[in-house]
Amino acid sequence: MSAVCANLEAQQFASSQPFMAPSPHANATQRPNQGPSQAQRYLENQYENRQQNPIQLGLPLHQTESIRTVSGQQEISRNLPPLYSQARLESDLMPDQIQRVNSSQPAFHPSFNSNPEGSEYPEFDSMTEPEDMYSDSIEQLCAESCWGWTVLPTDLLYTSYLAGPKEPRMALAILHERDIGWQMELEAGARVGILRYGSLNDNVLEGWQLDVEGAGPPRLNMEEEMDLDATDFRVGVPLTWRRGAYQAKFAYYHTSAHVGDEYIERNPGFQRINYVRDAFVLGGGYFPDPDLRLYAEIGYAFNTDGGAQPWELQFGVEFSPVEHSGIFGAPFWAVNGYLREEVNWGGNVNIMVGWQWRGDRNNHLFRIGLQYLDGKTMQYAFFNNSEQFVGFGTWYDF
C-alpha cells in the first residue's frame, strides 16, 4: 500500500495537471495517451471490467468523458475506489488491503435530475417546501396565550372615556355658553403606559398595566381677549386590567382648581376657593361588541377642601370602531354622565358625535366633532355654577 501511494504521489508531481476528480463537463478533446504509470496499472487491475471503471487511467482526470445520465452518476458512486466511498467500514479493512466498498446512497439525489422518472425516492416527489420556515413575529408564536412583561407599552388596556370631561387628553374645543358667550376649552394632557404584564401579542390587549396620567384643562374667554378664566390640574396613577370583553380600573388621582388672574381682576368681589380632591376610583367596562363600550366608575375622596365632597359617580356608553380605517376614518359617538355629592348628586351630561381616525401602528385616536354639555360646570373653581355648552372640538387620545 505504501508503494502504491508513493507512486501516485510521484505521478501527481510529475504531471502538469493536478490530480482532479472526473468532471461531468469535461472537454471532449483529449490529449494523446502518454501511457499509464505503475500505480495506474495497479488500480486498473482492481477493475476487471473497464466499462464499469469511471476513471480512465492514463489520462488527466479532468479530460475524461463527461457523464450525462443519472445512471452514470450512480455508477460513479458504486465503482469509486475505497477512498471515495460513502459507506466505508473501517473494521473490514486491513492495513495492507485495498477493498472496494459500494456506496449506500447515490452520488446525486434523483431530484437533481431533469427527468425524475424512476426515482428511488418517490416520497420526495410529493414533498412540498414549507412556505415559511420561521414565524414572522411574536404574534404567530404567542397567539393569545403568551404573557410577559412589557416596559412602556404602546397602548392602554383601559382607555379614557371619550365623552369624559375630566379625562386626560389633548383637546381644543370652541364652545358657546348661553350666559358667558364663546369660550375656548383647552386641555394639555395624556395618559400613557409604564409597565404591563400581559399578552405579548400587540393585537390582543389583555393583562395588567400600570399607567400615569396628567392634564391641565384651561378655559380661555374669547369674549375677553382670550383671558384665562380658570384651570384644573389633575395627576393620577391608574392600575388597569383587561381580559376579553371585560376591563377594570383602580386609580388614585389628585385634582385642584385655580382661578385666572384676569378673571379676578374683572370680578373683584369673587371669593376664591381652594378646591382639592385626593380620591380613589374603582371602575369597570364591558364590550358587548368590539366597537361598543359600556362603563361605570365610583370615586371616593379621602382628602377634600374648598367645598368638595367625597363621593362621585360616572357612567356612559360610547361607540368607536377599533378597525384601522386609514385616511378615511370612521364615525364615533359618546355619552357620559357625571354625578357629584357636592352638588346634591347633580352633575352634567356630555354628548359628542363626529369622525375619528385611529393610528395605523397603535391605538392612538384623533377625533373631530360636535359637543353638547349641560349641567354643572367642569371648572371646579366655579363648581356650583350651571352651564350649557354647544360647539365644535378636536380631541387626541393616547
Side-chain angles (χ1 to χ4, degrees), residues 252-255 276-279 300-305 308-310:
Y252 159 79
Y253 77 85
H254 166 87
T255 188
V276 174
R277 287 181 62 86
D278 288 283
Y300 177 81
F302 60 89
N303 177 43
T304 62
D305 197 3
Q309 295 295 318

Side-chain angles (χ1 to χ4, degrees), residues 128-141:
T128 59
E129 288 291 335
E131 295 181 359
D132 191 3
M133 297 298 296
Y134 301 96
S135 296
D136 290 335
S137 61
I138 192 67
E139 286 80 0
Q140 295 183 6
L141 292 173

Side-chain angles (χ1 to χ4, degrees), residues 67-83:
I67 299 173
R68 305 180 183 276
T69 64
V70 175
S71 59
Q73 295 169 358
Q74 296 176 356
E75 287 296 325
I76 290 179
S77 176
R78 285 195 289 265
N79 293 287
L80 285 176
L83 180 62

Side-chain angles (χ1 to χ4, degrees), residues 50-72:
R50 185 177 178 84
Q51 297 299 325
Q52 296 181 358
N53 185 1
I55 305 177
Q56 297 183 20
L57 302 178
L59 293 176
L61 295 179
H62 69 285
Q63 294 183 1
T64 54
E65 184 178 356
S66 61
I67 299 173
R68 305 180 183 276
T69 64
V70 175
S71 59

Side-chain angles (χ1 to χ4, degrees), residues 19 26 85 90 112 149 219 273 275 297 324 338 347 350 386:
F19 187 82
S85 174
E90 298 291 344
F112 289 99
W149 293 98
R219 173 180 290 180
I273 62 173
Y275 186 98
E297 69 176 37
H324 301 261
Y338 202 171
N350 191 28
S386 294

Side-chain angles (χ1 to χ4, degrees), residues 125-203:
D125 297 338
S126 59
M127 180 178 293
T128 59
E129 288 291 335
E131 295 181 359
D132 191 3
M133 297 298 296
Y134 301 96
S135 296
D136 290 335
S137 61
I138 192 67
E139 286 80 0
Q140 295 183 6
L141 292 173
C142 289
E144 299 183 5
S145 61
C146 188
W147 279 34
W149 293 98
T150 302
V151 178
L152 301 180
T154 303
D155 298 317
L156 300 175
L157 300 182
Y158 197 112
T159 56
S160 299
Y161 309 134
L162 297 185
K166 305 302 287 186
E167 296 292 304
R169 58 173 52 96
M170 303 291 291
L172 185 155
I174 307 298
L175 305 174
H176 184 268
E177 209 283 324
R178 59 186 178 182
D179 295 327
I180 60 177
W182 289 97
Q183 306 290 308
M184 180 180 290
E185 294 283 344
L186 302 174
E187 185 171 5
R191 186 159 129 227
V192 296
I194 298 299
L195 184 65
R196 178 193 298 175
Y197 179 74
S199 174
L200 297 177
N201 186 337
D202 292 337
N203 296 322

